[in-house]
mmCIF file of all heavy atoms in Angstrom:
data_model
loop_
_atom_site.group_PDB
_atom_site.id
_atom_site.type_symbol
_atom_site.label_atom_id
_atom_site.label_comp_id
_atom_site.label_asym_id
_atom_site.label_seq_id
_atom_site.Cartn_x
_atom_site.Cartn_y
_atom_site.Cartn_z
ATOM 1 N N MET C 1 0.842 -1.206 0.025
ATOM 2 C CA MET C 1 -0.024 -0.010 -0.019
ATOM 3 C C MET C 1 0.905 1.243 0.016
ATOM 4 O O MET C 1 1.748 1.405 0.897
ATOM 5 C CB MET C 1 -0.901 -0.078 1.232
ATOM 6 C CG MET C 1 -1.763 1.173 1.407
ATOM 7 S SD MET C 1 -2.631 1.204 3.013
ATOM 8 C CE MET C 1 -2.974 -0.500 3.364
ATOM 9 N N LEU C 2 0.786 2.074 -1.042
ATOM 10 C CA LEU C 2 1.617 3.240 -1.155
ATOM 11 C C LEU C 2 0.841 4.443 -0.589
ATOM 12 O O LEU C 2 -0.346 4.692 -0.939
ATOM 13 C CB LEU C 2 2.006 3.519 -2.591
ATOM 14 C CG LEU C 2 2.858 2.455 -3.204
ATOM 15 C CD1 LEU C 2 3.129 2.786 -4.675
ATOM 16 C CD2 LEU C 2 4.206 2.269 -2.491
ATOM 17 N N VAL C 3 1.525 5.234 0.232
ATOM 18 C CA VAL C 3 0.927 6.467 0.773
ATOM 19 C C VAL C 3 1.934 7.608 0.624
ATOM 20 O O VAL C 3 3.169 7.372 0.521
ATOM 21 C CB VAL C 3 0.516 6.361 2.253
ATOM 22 C CG1 VAL C 3 -0.551 5.310 2.442
ATOM 23 C CG2 VAL C 3 1.748 6.029 3.118
ATOM 24 N N GLU C 4 1.462 8.817 0.501
ATOM 25 C CA GLU C 4 2.336 9.978 0.420
ATOM 26 C C GLU C 4 2.969 10.228 1.815
ATOM 27 O O GLU C 4 2.233 10.253 2.803
ATOM 28 C CB GLU C 4 1.564 11.194 -0.064
ATOM 29 C CG GLU C 4 1.199 11.180 -1.503
ATOM 30 C CD GLU C 4 0.513 12.426 -1.940
ATOM 31 O OE1 GLU C 4 0.884 13.508 -1.405
ATOM 32 O OE2 GLU C 4 -0.357 12.378 -2.838
ATOM 33 N N GLY C 5 4.270 10.474 1.837
ATOM 34 C CA GLY C 5 4.987 10.810 3.066
ATOM 35 C C GLY C 5 5.108 12.291 3.185
ATOM 36 O O GLY C 5 4.815 13.034 2.252
ATOM 37 N N PRO C 6 5.712 12.739 4.249
ATOM 38 C CA PRO C 6 6.134 11.915 5.381
ATOM 39 C C PRO C 6 4.912 11.385 6.184
ATOM 40 O O PRO C 6 3.828 11.963 6.178
ATOM 41 C CB PRO C 6 6.963 12.866 6.238
ATOM 42 C CG PRO C 6 6.452 14.224 5.880
ATOM 43 C CD PRO C 6 6.007 14.130 4.434
ATOM 44 N N VAL C 7 5.135 10.255 6.893
ATOM 45 C CA VAL C 7 4.086 9.639 7.629
ATOM 46 C C VAL C 7 4.545 9.229 9.051
ATOM 47 O O VAL C 7 5.808 9.067 9.250
ATOM 48 C CB VAL C 7 3.516 8.351 6.946
ATOM 49 C CG1 VAL C 7 2.892 8.658 5.624
ATOM 50 C CG2 VAL C 7 4.638 7.339 6.803
ATOM 51 N N GLU C 8 3.614 9.157 9.920
ATOM 52 C CA GLU C 8 3.877 8.609 11.258
ATOM 53 C C GLU C 8 2.784 7.500 11.393
ATOM 54 O O GLU C 8 1.651 7.751 11.243
ATOM 55 C CB GLU C 8 3.681 9.635 12.352
ATOM 56 C CG GLU C 8 4.760 10.683 12.386
ATOM 57 C CD GLU C 8 4.680 11.641 13.595
ATOM 58 O OE1 GLU C 8 3.588 11.630 14.244
ATOM 59 O OE2 GLU C 8 5.629 12.312 13.857
ATOM 60 N N VAL C 9 3.304 6.342 11.720
ATOM 61 C CA VAL C 9 2.444 5.133 11.825
ATOM 62 C C VAL C 9 2.481 4.676 13.342
ATOM 63 O O VAL C 9 3.573 4.505 13.863
ATOM 64 C CB VAL C 9 2.855 4.032 10.926
ATOM 65 C CG1 VAL C 9 1.972 2.806 11.095
ATOM 66 C CG2 VAL C 9 2.970 4.490 9.494
ATOM 67 N N VAL C 10 1.351 4.544 13.916
ATOM 68 C CA VAL C 10 1.241 4.011 15.247
ATOM 69 C C VAL C 10 1.044 2.525 15.187
ATOM 70 O O VAL C 10 0.046 2.099 14.623
ATOM 71 C CB VAL C 10 0.136 4.683 16.077
ATOM 72 C CG1 VAL C 10 0.105 4.088 17.500
ATOM 73 C CG2 VAL C 10 0.350 6.184 16.150
ATOM 74 N N VAL C 11 2.014 1.763 15.683
ATOM 75 C CA VAL C 11 1.880 0.297 15.631
ATOM 76 C C VAL C 11 1.332 -0.290 16.907
ATOM 77 O O VAL C 11 1.169 0.468 17.911
ATOM 78 C CB VAL C 11 3.298 -0.304 15.334
ATOM 79 C CG1 VAL C 11 3.788 0.110 13.961
ATOM 80 C CG2 VAL C 11 4.309 0.029 16.358
ATOM 81 N N GLU C 12 1.106 -1.557 16.874
ATOM 82 C CA GLU C 12 0.562 -2.268 18.067
ATOM 83 C C GLU C 12 1.559 -1.985 19.217
ATOM 84 O O GLU C 12 2.750 -2.024 19.071
ATOM 85 C CB GLU C 12 0.488 -3.731 17.807
ATOM 86 C CG GLU C 12 -0.616 -4.106 16.853
ATOM 87 C CD GLU C 12 -0.710 -5.607 16.601
ATOM 88 O OE1 GLU C 12 0.084 -6.293 17.203
ATOM 89 O OE2 GLU C 12 -1.505 -5.959 15.714
ATOM 90 N N GLY C 13 1.015 -1.699 20.342
ATOM 91 C CA GLY C 13 1.838 -1.402 21.496
ATOM 92 C C GLY C 13 2.034 0.136 21.661
ATOM 93 O O GLY C 13 2.577 0.598 22.646
ATOM 94 N N GLY C 14 1.548 0.925 20.696
ATOM 95 C CA GLY C 14 1.534 2.353 20.810
ATOM 96 C C GLY C 14 2.784 3.085 20.314
ATOM 97 O O GLY C 14 2.839 4.300 20.362
ATOM 98 N N GLU C 15 3.793 2.343 19.839
ATOM 99 C CA GLU C 15 5.009 2.971 19.333
ATOM 100 C C GLU C 15 4.678 3.733 18.059
ATOM 101 O O GLU C 15 3.957 3.237 17.218
ATOM 102 C CB GLU C 15 6.104 1.935 19.132
ATOM 103 C CG GLU C 15 7.397 2.567 18.563
ATOM 104 C CD GLU C 15 8.365 1.481 18.174
ATOM 105 O OE1 GLU C 15 8.083 0.244 18.308
ATOM 106 O OE2 GLU C 15 9.441 1.840 17.707
ATOM 107 N N THR C 16 5.258 4.876 17.870
ATOM 108 C CA THR C 16 5.080 5.686 16.636
ATOM 109 C C THR C 16 6.359 5.539 15.808
ATOM 110 O O THR C 16 7.464 5.790 16.258
ATOM 111 C CB THR C 16 4.791 7.169 16.926
ATOM 112 O OG1 THR C 16 3.634 7.254 17.721
ATOM 113 C CG2 THR C 16 4.603 7.949 15.626
ATOM 114 N N VAL C 17 6.177 5.103 14.530
ATOM 115 C CA VAL C 17 7.277 4.979 13.623
ATOM 116 C C VAL C 17 7.081 5.995 12.505
ATOM 117 O O VAL C 17 6.047 6.178 11.971
ATOM 118 C CB VAL C 17 7.312 3.546 13.034
ATOM 119 C CG1 VAL C 17 8.496 3.343 12.124
ATOM 120 C CG2 VAL C 17 7.253 2.523 14.116
ATOM 121 N N ARG C 18 8.219 6.711 12.209
ATOM 122 C CA ARG C 18 8.142 7.772 11.238
ATOM 123 C C ARG C 18 8.975 7.488 10.008
ATOM 124 O O ARG C 18 10.038 6.857 10.090
ATOM 125 C CB ARG C 18 8.660 9.069 11.911
ATOM 126 C CG ARG C 18 8.569 10.269 11.003
ATOM 127 C CD ARG C 18 9.039 11.516 11.711
ATOM 128 N NE ARG C 18 9.157 12.634 10.767
ATOM 129 C CZ ARG C 18 8.109 13.387 10.400
ATOM 130 N NH1 ARG C 18 6.937 13.135 10.887
ATOM 131 N NH2 ARG C 18 8.251 14.344 9.501
ATOM 132 N N SER C 19 8.462 7.910 8.851
ATOM 133 C CA SER C 19 9.248 7.882 7.631
ATOM 134 C C SER C 19 9.104 9.229 6.919
ATOM 135 O O SER C 19 8.016 9.756 6.804
ATOM 136 C CB SER C 19 8.771 6.784 6.677
ATOM 137 O OG SER C 19 9.441 6.906 5.430
ATOM 138 N N ASP C 20 10.208 9.798 6.492
ATOM 139 C CA ASP C 20 10.263 11.076 5.792
ATOM 140 C C ASP C 20 10.273 10.930 4.260
ATOM 141 O O ASP C 20 10.455 11.937 3.574
ATOM 142 C CB ASP C 20 11.482 11.903 6.252
ATOM 143 C CG ASP C 20 11.345 12.310 7.680
ATOM 144 O OD1 ASP C 20 10.265 12.608 8.147
ATOM 145 O OD2 ASP C 20 12.386 12.279 8.417
ATOM 146 N N ARG C 21 10.106 9.701 3.810
ATOM 147 C CA ARG C 21 10.172 9.492 2.318
ATOM 148 C C ARG C 21 8.926 10.181 1.671
ATOM 149 O O ARG C 21 7.911 10.340 2.303
ATOM 150 C CB ARG C 21 10.149 7.994 2.040
ATOM 151 C CG ARG C 21 11.373 7.345 2.648
ATOM 152 C CD ARG C 21 11.371 5.853 2.311
ATOM 153 N NE ARG C 21 12.109 5.754 0.992
ATOM 154 C CZ ARG C 21 12.473 4.584 0.543
ATOM 155 N NH1 ARG C 21 12.209 3.433 1.152
ATOM 156 N NH2 ARG C 21 13.085 4.518 -0.598
ATOM 157 N N VAL C 22 9.096 10.497 0.404
ATOM 158 C CA VAL C 22 8.008 11.158 -0.346
ATOM 159 C C VAL C 22 6.874 10.177 -0.575
ATOM 160 O O VAL C 22 5.678 10.540 -0.493
ATOM 161 C CB VAL C 22 8.549 11.685 -1.686
ATOM 162 C CG1 VAL C 22 7.424 12.245 -2.499
ATOM 163 C CG2 VAL C 22 9.607 12.745 -1.426
ATOM 164 N N VAL C 23 7.220 8.925 -0.863
ATOM 165 C CA VAL C 23 6.250 7.844 -0.984
ATOM 166 C C VAL C 23 6.636 6.763 -0.080
ATOM 167 O O VAL C 23 7.810 6.304 -0.121
ATOM 168 C CB VAL C 23 6.108 7.357 -2.471
ATOM 169 C CG1 VAL C 23 5.175 6.196 -2.555
ATOM 170 C CG2 VAL C 23 5.686 8.479 -3.425
ATOM 171 N N VAL C 24 5.706 6.237 0.688
ATOM 172 C CA VAL C 24 5.988 5.206 1.687
ATOM 173 C C VAL C 24 5.150 3.982 1.378
ATOM 174 O O VAL C 24 3.961 4.086 1.139
ATOM 175 C CB VAL C 24 5.692 5.711 3.125
ATOM 176 C CG1 VAL C 24 5.991 4.623 4.132
ATOM 177 C CG2 VAL C 24 6.457 7.009 3.404
ATOM 178 N N ALA C 25 5.821 2.828 1.330
ATOM 179 C CA ALA C 25 5.092 1.571 1.144
ATOM 180 C C ALA C 25 4.816 0.945 2.487
ATOM 181 O O ALA C 25 5.713 0.593 3.223
ATOM 182 C CB ALA C 25 5.928 0.610 0.277
ATOM 183 N N LEU C 26 3.538 0.851 2.846
ATOM 184 C CA LEU C 26 3.135 0.217 4.101
ATOM 185 C C LEU C 26 2.893 -1.257 3.865
ATOM 186 O O LEU C 26 2.353 -1.642 2.841
ATOM 187 C CB LEU C 26 1.889 0.902 4.653
ATOM 188 C CG LEU C 26 2.016 2.377 5.020
ATOM 189 C CD1 LEU C 26 0.661 2.889 5.473
ATOM 190 C CD2 LEU C 26 3.102 2.532 6.102
ATOM 191 N N CYS C 27 3.294 -2.063 4.820
ATOM 192 C CA CYS C 27 3.100 -3.511 4.706
ATOM 193 C C CYS C 27 1.696 -3.901 5.110
ATOM 194 O O CYS C 27 1.196 -3.516 6.179
ATOM 195 C CB CYS C 27 4.097 -4.218 5.629
ATOM 196 S SG CYS C 27 3.870 -6.014 5.643
ATOM 197 N N ALA C 28 1.040 -4.629 4.223
ATOM 198 C CA ALA C 28 -0.303 -5.078 4.477
ATOM 199 C C ALA C 28 -0.353 -6.576 4.673
ATOM 200 O O ALA C 28 -1.416 -7.192 4.998
ATOM 201 C CB ALA C 28 -1.240 -4.716 3.330
ATOM 202 N N CYS C 29 0.789 -7.278 4.565
ATOM 203 C CA CYS C 29 0.819 -8.688 4.656
ATOM 204 C C CYS C 29 1.445 -9.179 5.966
ATOM 205 O O CYS C 29 1.340 -10.325 6.327
ATOM 206 C CB CYS C 29 1.571 -9.291 3.476
ATOM 207 S SG CYS C 29 3.391 -9.112 3.600
ATOM 208 N N ARG C 30 2.076 -8.290 6.657
ATOM 209 C CA ARG C 30 2.736 -8.544 7.969
ATOM 210 C C ARG C 30 3.949 -9.482 7.883
ATOM 211 O O ARG C 30 4.383 -10.037 8.879
ATOM 212 C CB ARG C 30 1.737 -9.105 8.943
ATOM 213 C CG ARG C 30 0.659 -8.115 9.269
ATOM 214 C CD ARG C 30 0.204 -8.307 10.713
ATOM 215 N NE ARG C 30 -0.638 -7.230 11.084
ATOM 216 C CZ ARG C 30 -0.523 -6.653 12.276
ATOM 217 N NH1 ARG C 30 0.334 -7.118 13.128
ATOM 218 N NH2 ARG C 30 -1.342 -5.697 12.619
ATOM 219 N N ARG C 31 4.466 -9.696 6.665
ATOM 220 C CA ARG C 31 5.686 -10.519 6.569
ATOM 221 C C ARG C 31 6.961 -9.664 6.541
ATOM 222 O O ARG C 31 8.041 -10.213 6.609
ATOM 223 C CB ARG C 31 5.613 -11.240 5.225
ATOM 224 C CG ARG C 31 4.665 -12.357 5.202
ATOM 225 C CD ARG C 31 4.798 -13.193 3.948
ATOM 226 N NE ARG C 31 3.511 -13.535 3.383
ATOM 227 C CZ ARG C 31 3.297 -13.744 2.152
ATOM 228 N NH1 ARG C 31 4.302 -13.660 1.254
ATOM 229 N NH2 ARG C 31 2.082 -14.041 1.728
ATOM 230 N N SER C 32 6.786 -8.312 6.491
ATOM 231 C CA SER C 32 7.998 -7.477 6.416
ATOM 232 C C SER C 32 8.830 -7.515 7.676
ATOM 233 O O SER C 32 8.289 -7.488 8.789
ATOM 234 C CB SER C 32 7.482 -6.018 6.125
ATOM 235 O OG SER C 32 8.638 -5.179 6.223
ATOM 236 N N ARG C 33 10.134 -7.534 7.484
ATOM 237 C CA ARG C 33 11.026 -7.438 8.652
ATOM 238 C C ARG C 33 11.154 -5.991 9.034
ATOM 239 O O ARG C 33 11.793 -5.682 10.079
ATOM 240 C CB ARG C 33 12.362 -8.003 8.251
ATOM 241 C CG ARG C 33 12.361 -9.498 8.095
ATOM 242 C CD ARG C 33 13.707 -10.072 7.820
ATOM 243 N NE ARG C 33 13.583 -11.518 7.640
ATOM 244 C CZ ARG C 33 14.575 -12.298 7.177
ATOM 245 N NH1 ARG C 33 15.705 -11.760 6.859
ATOM 246 N NH2 ARG C 33 14.363 -13.585 7.023
ATOM 247 N N SER C 34 10.637 -5.101 8.218
ATOM 248 C CA SER C 34 10.713 -3.635 8.533
ATOM 249 C C SER C 34 9.293 -3.165 8.860
ATOM 250 O O SER C 34 9.014 -1.981 8.748
ATOM 251 C CB SER C 34 11.216 -2.916 7.280
ATOM 252 O OG SER C 34 12.479 -3.329 6.978
ATOM 253 N N TYR C 35 8.383 -4.027 9.293
ATOM 254 C CA TYR C 35 7.027 -3.655 9.585
ATOM 255 C C TYR C 35 6.995 -2.427 10.485
ATOM 256 O O TYR C 35 7.777 -2.379 11.421
ATOM 257 C CB TYR C 35 6.268 -4.886 10.301
ATOM 258 C CG TYR C 35 4.833 -4.651 10.373
ATOM 259 C CD1 TYR C 35 3.978 -5.000 9.348
ATOM 260 C CD2 TYR C 35 4.298 -4.104 11.541
ATOM 261 C CE1 TYR C 35 2.646 -4.773 9.444
ATOM 262 C CE2 TYR C 35 2.935 -3.854 11.633
ATOM 263 C CZ TYR C 35 2.145 -4.209 10.566
ATOM 264 O OH TYR C 35 0.749 -3.966 10.679
ATOM 265 N N PRO C 36 6.174 -1.431 10.224
ATOM 266 C CA PRO C 36 5.019 -1.402 9.360
ATOM 267 C C PRO C 36 5.294 -1.035 7.916
ATOM 268 O O PRO C 36 4.421 -0.788 7.119
ATOM 269 C CB PRO C 36 4.120 -0.336 9.984
ATOM 270 C CG PRO C 36 5.150 0.628 10.532
ATOM 271 C CD PRO C 36 6.280 -0.207 11.009
ATOM 272 N N PHE C 37 6.599 -0.987 7.530
ATOM 273 C CA PHE C 37 6.930 -0.652 6.135
ATOM 274 C C PHE C 37 7.206 -1.908 5.321
ATOM 275 O O PHE C 37 7.752 -2.891 5.829
ATOM 276 C CB PHE C 37 8.120 0.286 6.119
ATOM 277 C CG PHE C 37 7.927 1.523 6.946
ATOM 278 C CD1 PHE C 37 8.697 1.746 8.115
ATOM 279 C CD2 PHE C 37 6.929 2.442 6.659
ATOM 280 C CE1 PHE C 37 8.466 2.902 8.864
ATOM 281 C CE2 PHE C 37 6.727 3.556 7.443
ATOM 282 C CZ PHE C 37 7.503 3.758 8.537
ATOM 283 N N CYS C 38 6.813 -1.886 4.064
ATOM 284 C CA CYS C 38 7.022 -2.986 3.173
ATOM 285 C C CYS C 38 8.469 -3.148 2.842
ATOM 286 O O CYS C 38 9.159 -2.183 2.547
ATOM 287 C CB CYS C 38 6.183 -2.727 1.896
ATOM 288 S SG CYS C 38 6.521 -3.962 0.580
ATOM 289 N N ASP C 39 8.998 -4.361 2.889
ATOM 290 C CA ASP C 39 10.364 -4.680 2.438
ATOM 291 C C ASP C 39 10.391 -5.645 1.302
ATOM 292 O O ASP C 39 11.405 -6.278 1.021
ATOM 293 C CB ASP C 39 11.211 -5.170 3.630
ATOM 294 C CG ASP C 39 10.822 -6.582 4.099
ATOM 295 O OD1 ASP C 39 9.791 -7.123 3.582
ATOM 296 O OD2 ASP C 39 11.499 -7.135 4.922
ATOM 297 N N THR C 40 9.272 -5.777 0.622
ATOM 298 C CA THR C 40 9.019 -6.664 -0.527
ATOM 299 C C THR C 40 8.962 -8.144 -0.133
ATOM 300 O O THR C 40 8.980 -9.001 -1.017
ATOM 301 C CB THR C 40 9.994 -6.444 -1.671
ATOM 302 O OG1 THR C 40 11.312 -6.911 -1.284
ATOM 303 C CG2 THR C 40 10.081 -5.000 -2.090
ATOM 304 N N SER C 41 8.921 -8.487 1.143
ATOM 305 C CA SER C 41 8.787 -9.875 1.529
ATOM 306 C C SER C 41 7.512 -10.503 1.000
ATOM 307 O O SER C 41 7.414 -11.718 0.868
ATOM 308 C CB SER C 41 8.805 -9.995 3.075
ATOM 309 O OG SER C 41 10.044 -9.666 3.598
ATOM 310 N N HIS C 42 6.509 -9.677 0.681
ATOM 311 C CA HIS C 42 5.247 -10.212 0.118
ATOM 312 C C HIS C 42 5.469 -10.903 -1.185
ATOM 313 O O HIS C 42 4.668 -11.744 -1.604
ATOM 314 C CB HIS C 42 4.227 -9.097 -0.030
ATOM 315 C CG HIS C 42 4.655 -8.060 -0.967
ATOM 316 N ND1 HIS C 42 5.329 -6.906 -0.610
ATOM 317 C CD2 HIS C 42 4.520 -7.999 -2.312
ATOM 318 C CE1 HIS C 42 5.593 -6.172 -1.671
ATOM 319 N NE2 HIS C 42 5.116 -6.776 -2.728
ATOM 320 N N ARG C 43 6.591 -10.617 -1.848
ATOM 321 C CA ARG C 43 6.862 -11.192 -3.142
ATOM 322 C C ARG C 43 7.383 -12.589 -3.056
ATOM 323 O O ARG C 43 7.417 -13.353 -4.033
ATOM 324 C CB ARG C 43 7.945 -10.387 -3.921
ATOM 325 C CG ARG C 43 7.436 -9.032 -4.249
ATOM 326 C CD ARG C 43 8.496 -8.327 -5.029
ATOM 327 N NE ARG C 43 8.118 -6.912 -5.313
ATOM 328 C CZ ARG C 43 8.988 -6.015 -5.609
ATOM 329 N NH1 ARG C 43 10.293 -6.269 -5.705
ATOM 330 N NH2 ARG C 43 8.612 -4.749 -5.859
ATOM 331 N N LYS C 44 7.891 -12.955 -1.887
ATOM 332 C CA LYS C 44 8.558 -14.310 -1.769
ATOM 333 C C LYS C 44 7.475 -15.393 -1.891
ATOM 334 O O LYS C 44 6.437 -15.314 -1.304
ATOM 335 C CB LYS C 44 9.285 -14.412 -0.398
ATOM 336 C CG LYS C 44 10.430 -13.492 -0.338
ATOM 337 C CD LYS C 44 11.281 -13.713 0.907
ATOM 338 C CE LYS C 44 12.379 -12.733 0.863
ATOM 339 N NZ LYS C 44 12.564 -11.948 2.004
ATOM 340 N N ARG C 45 7.813 -16.361 -2.650
ATOM 341 C CA ARG C 45 6.909 -17.480 -2.951
ATOM 342 C C ARG C 45 6.761 -18.401 -1.767
ATOM 343 O O ARG C 45 7.770 -18.760 -1.129
ATOM 344 C CB ARG C 45 7.434 -18.246 -4.168
ATOM 345 C CG ARG C 45 6.443 -19.157 -4.816
ATOM 346 C CD ARG C 45 6.885 -19.420 -6.223
ATOM 347 N NE ARG C 45 6.130 -20.529 -6.673
ATOM 348 C CZ ARG C 45 6.602 -21.757 -6.821
ATOM 349 N NH1 ARG C 45 7.847 -21.980 -6.535
ATOM 350 N NH2 ARG C 45 5.863 -22.734 -7.223
ATOM 351 N N VAL C 46 5.581 -18.791 -1.501
ATOM 352 C CA VAL C 46 5.338 -19.700 -0.390
ATOM 353 C C VAL C 46 5.110 -21.099 -0.968
ATOM 354 O O VAL C 46 4.370 -21.265 -1.855
ATOM 355 C CB VAL C 46 4.052 -19.286 0.447
ATOM 356 C CG1 VAL C 46 3.803 -20.322 1.528
ATOM 357 C CG2 VAL C 46 4.237 -17.908 0.995
ATOM 358 N N ARG C 47 5.917 -22.045 -0.479
ATOM 359 C CA ARG C 47 5.839 -23.446 -1.001
ATOM 360 C C ARG C 47 4.486 -24.014 -0.535
ATOM 361 O O ARG C 47 4.092 -23.880 0.610
ATOM 362 C CB ARG C 47 6.962 -24.290 -0.451
ATOM 363 C CG ARG C 47 8.248 -23.991 -1.056
ATOM 364 C CD ARG C 47 9.384 -24.741 -0.361
ATOM 365 N NE ARG C 47 9.213 -26.150 -0.596
ATOM 366 C CZ ARG C 47 9.978 -26.885 -1.374
ATOM 367 N NH1 ARG C 47 10.968 -26.332 -2.011
ATOM 368 N NH2 ARG C 47 9.813 -28.190 -1.505
ATOM 369 N N THR C 48 3.849 -24.687 -1.407
ATOM 370 C CA THR C 48 2.613 -25.361 -1.103
ATOM 371 C C THR C 48 2.888 -26.749 -0.537
ATOM 372 O O THR C 48 3.991 -27.277 -0.756
ATOM 373 C CB THR C 48 1.670 -25.513 -2.344
ATOM 374 O OG1 THR C 48 2.357 -26.376 -3.277
ATOM 375 C CG2 THR C 48 1.377 -24.161 -2.973
ATOM 376 N N HIS C 49 1.969 -27.387 0.100
ATOM 377 C CA HIS C 49 2.078 -28.718 0.632
ATOM 378 C C HIS C 49 2.448 -29.673 -0.494
ATOM 379 O O HIS C 49 3.344 -30.544 -0.361
ATOM 380 C CB HIS C 49 0.813 -29.118 1.328
ATOM 381 C CG HIS C 49 0.873 -30.501 1.933
ATOM 382 N ND1 HIS C 49 1.659 -30.829 3.004
ATOM 383 C CD2 HIS C 49 0.254 -31.625 1.556
ATOM 384 C CE1 HIS C 49 1.514 -32.090 3.252
ATOM 385 N NE2 HIS C 49 0.652 -32.597 2.413
ATOM 386 N N ARG C 50 1.833 -29.473 -1.621
ATOM 387 C CA ARG C 50 2.021 -30.376 -2.767
ATOM 388 C C ARG C 50 3.475 -30.267 -3.271
ATOM 389 O O ARG C 50 4.104 -31.315 -3.557
ATOM 390 C CB ARG C 50 1.018 -30.044 -3.884
ATOM 391 C CG ARG C 50 1.108 -30.995 -5.024
ATOM 392 C CD ARG C 50 0.048 -30.690 -5.968
ATOM 393 N NE ARG C 50 0.015 -31.600 -7.088
ATOM 394 C CZ ARG C 50 -0.802 -31.636 -8.067
ATOM 395 N NH1 ARG C 50 -1.771 -30.693 -8.089
ATOM 396 N NH2 ARG C 50 -0.741 -32.481 -9.041
ATOM 397 N N GLU C 51 4.013 -29.062 -3.332
ATOM 398 C CA GLU C 51 5.425 -28.886 -3.766
ATOM 399 C C GLU C 51 6.366 -29.516 -2.789
ATOM 400 O O GLU C 51 7.384 -30.066 -3.181
ATOM 401 C CB GLU C 51 5.710 -27.397 -3.904
ATOM 402 C CG GLU C 51 5.045 -26.728 -5.096
ATOM 403 C CD GLU C 51 5.270 -25.257 -5.127
ATOM 404 O OE1 GLU C 51 5.350 -24.639 -4.039
ATOM 405 O OE2 GLU C 51 5.315 -24.686 -6.220
ATOM 406 N N ASP C 52 6.062 -29.476 -1.492
ATOM 407 C CA ASP C 52 6.910 -30.103 -0.478
ATOM 408 C C ASP C 52 6.992 -31.629 -0.710
ATOM 409 O O ASP C 52 8.043 -32.203 -0.591
ATOM 410 C CB ASP C 52 6.356 -29.836 0.914
ATOM 411 C CG ASP C 52 6.607 -28.399 1.333
ATOM 412 O OD1 ASP C 52 7.476 -27.716 0.752
ATOM 413 O OD2 ASP C 52 5.865 -27.973 2.261
ATOM 414 N N GLU C 53 5.863 -32.225 -1.105
ATOM 415 C CA GLU C 53 5.860 -33.650 -1.363
ATOM 416 C C GLU C 53 6.629 -34.030 -2.626
ATOM 417 O O GLU C 53 7.240 -35.110 -2.675
ATOM 418 C CB GLU C 53 4.374 -34.152 -1.525
ATOM 419 C CG GLU C 53 3.600 -34.076 -0.217
ATOM 420 C CD GLU C 53 2.146 -34.387 -0.441
ATOM 421 O OE1 GLU C 53 1.695 -34.493 -1.597
ATOM 422 O OE2 GLU C 53 1.446 -34.632 0.544
ATOM 423 N N GLU C 54 6.612 -33.129 -3.592
ATOM 424 C CA GLU C 54 7.318 -33.407 -4.895
ATOM 425 C C GLU C 54 8.823 -33.107 -4.757
ATOM 426 O O GLU C 54 9.601 -33.555 -5.615
ATOM 427 C CB GLU C 54 6.743 -32.549 -6.020
ATOM 428 C CG GLU C 54 5.251 -32.905 -6.286
ATOM 429 C CD GLU C 54 4.618 -31.910 -7.200
ATOM 430 O OE1 GLU C 54 5.196 -30.845 -7.542
ATOM 431 O OE2 GLU C 54 3.470 -32.182 -7.661
ATOM 432 N N GLY C 55 9.216 -32.407 -3.732
ATOM 433 C CA GLY C 55 10.682 -32.141 -3.508
ATOM 434 C C GLY C 55 11.055 -30.978 -4.249
ATOM 435 O O GLY C 55 11.977 -30.632 -4.749
HETATM 436 S S1 LIG J 101 3.203 -5.858 1.832
HETATM 437 FE FE1 LIG J 101 4.184 -6.907 3.393
HETATM 438 S S2 LIG J 101 6.204 -6.992 2.769
HETATM 439 FE FE2 LIG J 101 5.261 -5.948 1.228
#
C-alpha cells in the first residue's frame, strides 16, 4: 500500500514509527522485517504442501 509521506504510523503497542520519504510503502501482509513498512517480503513465494511432497 503506497501512501504519500512523510508519515507517522502508530503500531501495536503504541509505538510511533516515522518515515520522511516522499512515497512510503506500508506492509499489508505482515511478513515485512521492517514492519510497518514494506520490504518486498510479500513477493517471496510460499511453498505449497504439494510442492513439499514433490521435492
Ligand atoms: S506488503 Fe508486506 S512485505 Fe510488502
